[in-house]
Amino acid sequence: MAYDEELANRLRELLAAEKGLDEKPMFGGLAFLINGNMAVAASRQGGLMVRVPPEDTAGLLGRDHVEPMIMAGRETRGWIRISAGGLRTGRQLQRWVALGVGYARSLPAK
């Protein structure tokens, strides 16, 4: 399954004014990077991948529509997956994008 083009376009609209923005196909999805650090991605598995502070991962997993990010059979701290049900409104999407962008901006530029 390819990533959701509609979600990718919504992300482009939200991120258009961000400085240091780059867009790259990664892992079959479409990633949006800030100063070389991935912030969010339209996932090939559906929904949105969001980069978060690793210490916040467990607390965020208790929210509706939030799942752990699993890579190579293991949960990846610092990443969460938001299902499509949690991205229906612009407000919902904006909240997750702001979280990912804020964390990506806090990291050293690559």
Side-chain angles (χ1 to χ4, degrees):
M1 171 180 178
Y3 63 86
D4 181 340
E5 285 285 347
E6 181 183 338
L7 177 58
N9 287 331
R10 291 173 66 202
L11 290 168
R12 286 182 186 106
E13 287 179 27
L14 286 173
L15 295 166
E18 289 292 331
K19 292 185 179 175
L21 177 68
D22 194 15
E23 184 179 311
K24 288 186 179 182
M26 296 179 89
F27 312 113
L30 186 64
F32 293 83
L33 296 83
I34 304 294
N35 298 325
N37 294 295
M38 193 184 311
V40 295
S43 173
R44 74 172 176 195
Q45 297 170 340
L48 182 72
M49 291 173 33
V50 183
R51 189 168 189 186
V52 299
E55 63 273 12
D56 293 352
T57 305
L60 291 167
L61 290 174
R63 295 186 181 184
D64 289 342
H65 308 288
V66 179
E67 304 168 4
M69 178 67 192
I70 307 294
M71 293 188 87
R74 301 178 83 178
E75 186 175 322
T76 306
R77 285 178 29 111
W79 285 95
I80 55 175
R81 180 183 304 283
I82 314 304
S83 67
L87 305 170
R88 288 189 180 116
T89 69
R91 186 175 182 185
Q92 288 173 310
L93 181 59
Q94 173 59 41
R95 184 175 0 159
W96 295 116
V97 168
L99 184 62
V101 167
Y103 185 58
R105 283 216 176 283
S106 76
L107 300 170
K110 290 185 177 180

